Amino acid sequence: AAAAAAAAAATVNGGGVTTAAPTAAQTLAGLMTLMDSSSALGDDVVMDRAWHAAEAYHFWLLAHRQLYDGNIDSAMRTALQLRRYDDILDPLDVYSFLGLTAFYNKFYGQCSKAFIKLESLASLTDEKRRAFADLAMSIFLKHPPADPRSLREARDPGSRKLPGGGERAAGPLDYLLEDLGG
């Protein structure tokens, strides 16, 4: 199964493989191998860890794509989800990215929380900690650490309304808002 996945990925783009395709093929082959071995052993923990890591990198890449595409609100919301993956991703990267997206989205309350987390990381040198504190001070002297609205209110208010006046069922991305506390 892993060899078939690698062969299928090699035929991407009419035989010309992009730079991401070999890595994607290797990842897919690795997951298929894990799936084959874990099902033989009956060990769901191995698969859960593998998918947890895959989710972490998926959301990391998605958040960056959203930011570079100019969809700052979605990038911030995805960055908020990255907090669940600090066992996989470097917390310094996660909270730096969250602070950046929250700043550009004018959610200074979320930005402040990201800076608080950054300044409390044990792995930081004193020099980096001071740099974060100085940057936070320069931001929050100009902008009070408050969000312009709750995160739930920031969603499109008509997104659940149907033309007949009813409401649609929860969408596939609505779970992203469940732990935002807004």
Side-chain angles (χ1 to χ4, degrees):
T11 61
V12 171
N13 200 11
V17 178
T18 63
T19 56
T23 305
Q26 291 167 350
T27 303
L28 179 59
L31 286 172
M32 296 297 287
T33 302
L34 277 175
M35 190 163 73
D36 291 342
S37 66
S38 71
S39 63
L41 298 173
D43 188 8
D44 290 337
V45 174
V46 174
M47 281 303 294
D48 288 345
R49 281 193 221 144
W51 283 113
H52 180 71
E55 286 174 346
Y57 286 105
H58 165 76
F59 284 126
W60 178 251
L61 293 173
L62 176 63
H64 281 81
R65 177 181 292 170
Q66 290 166 331
L67 178 64
Y68 294 134
D69 286 346
N71 193 347
I72 297 167
D73 187 62
S74 293
M76 181 192 75
R77 290 172 186 283
T78 305
L80 284 164
Q81 294 305 308
L82 292 173
R83 298 173 299 175
R84 295 186 308 181
Y85 302 100
D86 65 357
D87 58 327
I88 303 293
L89 302 171
D90 183 2
L92 177 65
D93 293 337
V94 169
Y95 289 101
S96 295
F97 189 79
L98 176 56
L100 177 75
T101 57
F103 174 80
Y104 281 130
N105 204 25
K106 297 180 177 33
F107 273 74
Y108 302 114
Q110 293 298 320
C111 183
S112 174
K113 290 176 186 177
F115 272 100
I116 290 168
K117 189 71 171 178
L118 283 169
E119 291 176 34
S120 70
L121 292 175
S123 61
L124 282 185
T125 63
D126 287 338
E127 183 180 339
K128 276 195 171 188
R129 187 170 280 107
R130 275 192 302 276
F132 279 128
D134 292 345
L135 180 58
M137 185 66 71
S138 70
I139 291 171
F140 301 120
L141 283 175
K142 295 177 186 171
H143 308 282
D147 294 335
R149 58 203 176 278
S150 77
L151 290 166
R152 291 193 189 280
E153 292 171 2
R155 293 184 1 193
D156 178 14
S159 65
R160 295 195 63 159
K161 299 292 181 193
L162 295 174
E167 289 193 3
R168 68 170 175 79
L173 298 179
D174 285 351
Y175 75 93
L176 290 174
L177 296 171
E178 293 304 316
D179 69 341
L180 297 181

